[in-house]
Amino acid sequence: MNAIIKTGGKQYLVTEGSIIFVEKLNGAAGETVVFDEVLMLDGKVGNPYIDKAKVEGVILKQGKNKKIRVFKYKSKDRSNRRTLGHRQPYTKIEIKKISK
């Protein structure tokens, strides 16, 4: 059974047993999370969501991605140069159950 869920402003194609990395959600490792914004379920498209459909998963890990470097500068001006870094937090989830 395939489903497309929406969380954190993004859409994810999931099946039972799949592992996904989503934007950070509240909760600790081992807790259950339920996604009720199901956009598609086995080829049936919702308007915008499918009623009474939900996807259940278990939080495996809370973490941060690798650091990205951001370099900002103004051309022809030697004094306005700076380097910034950013690590985006994520939640690793294993999909356990897809129900209608």
Side-chain angles (χ1 to χ4, degrees):
M1 192 181 273
N2 292 330
I4 295 179
I5 60 172
K6 179 181 172 186
T7 180
K10 298 181 176 83
Q11 299 174 4
Y12 300 91
L13 175 64
V14 297
T15 58
E16 290 184 2
S18 63
I19 295 175
I20 58 173
F21 292 86
V22 299
E23 296 294 320
K24 184 173 183 341
L25 299 174
N26 293 329
E31 290 185 15
T32 303
V33 62
V34 177
F35 302 103
D36 56 352
E37 293 182 341
V38 180
L39 300 169
M40 187 188 82
L41 187 64
D42 278 340
K44 182 182 173 195
V45 180
N47 187 13
Y49 306 116
I50 295 178
D51 296 331
K52 300 176 185 168
K54 59 183 174 179
V55 175
E56 296 178 16
V58 175
I59 297 176
L60 298 177
K61 177 182 170 184
Q62 300 278 10
K64 288 185 178 182
N65 287 331
K66 289 185 175 181
K67 182 177 277 193
I68 61 167
R69 302 284 181 190
V70 180
F71 183 70
K72 294 185 175 186
Y73 74 99
K74 303 273 190 208
S75 62
K76 301 182 182 80
D77 186 5
R78 294 286 179 188
S79 62
N80 287 336
R81 294 172 186 249
R82 64 183 190 164
T83 302
L84 301 171
H86 177 72
R87 293 182 68 190
Q88 184 69 26
Y90 70 85
T91 302
K92 184 178 180 180
I93 297 176
E94 181 179 6
I95 303 300
K96 291 292 187 184
K97 183 178 175 186
I98 300 173
S99 60
K100 294 182 183 182

